[in-house]
Amino acid sequence: MRDGDPVAWDAGPATWGTIPPPLGAGLAEDATALARYAAAADRELATLPAAPQRDRRQRDAAARILRAARTLRDRFIAQHAEAVYDELTGACSVHLRIDALARAAADRFPGLVPTRA
């Protein structure tokens, strides 16, 4: 997905998440699409009240946004798990503890895993 392409998922919380970006263009391109989608999800969630103050419609919108982002993450890792691991570990030449691996994944692949609060 290129900047300037129409993005149906950038339509606001009421309809957000109905059409995720396509994957399959390659690791770098898909990582960019994932990062943009995750950032858009974060922006849309930020337009909603805090979770305890949400009404039913807002809770449904938040659930839809989170589900769509999770689905895209699942698709991304299903297509690129080995390549992601190889990139994070220098083709398995560096052995990282799980916490370091998660931090490296958050840095290299924004939107894939949670970041430190």
Side-chain angles (χ1 to χ4, degrees):
M1 183 172 296
R2 294 178 204 93
D3 288 343
D5 283 354
V7 284
W9 43 268
D10 197 13
T15 58
W16 198 90
T18 56
I19 303 174
L23 297 179
L27 179 62
E29 295 85 356
D30 289 354
T32 298
L34 173 63
R36 289 183 63 210
Y37 196 73
D42 290 343
R43 285 191 304 274
E44 291 300 325
L45 288 170
T47 68
L48 298 171
Q53 284 78 42
R54 292 178 186 156
D55 62 25
R56 181 181 173 104
R57 183 186 61 80
Q58 293 163 334
R59 285 191 305 272
D60 289 348
R64 198 169 33 257
I65 293 165
L66 292 169
R67 187 173 41 253
R70 186 176 306 113
T71 298
L72 185 63
R73 286 182 188 99
D74 289 348
R75 288 178 39 223
F76 177 86
I77 206 65
Q79 290 184 27
H80 299 295
E82 188 173 335
V84 166
Y85 190 77
D86 281 349
E87 186 161 327
L88 297 175
T89 63
C92 297
S93 65
V94 177
H95 299 283
L96 300 175
R97 294 174 50 108
I98 191 67
D99 58 333
L101 188 63
R103 282 193 307 274
D107 290 343
R108 173 57 188 90
F109 300 99
L112 182 58
V113 297
T115 58
R116 280 193 261 189

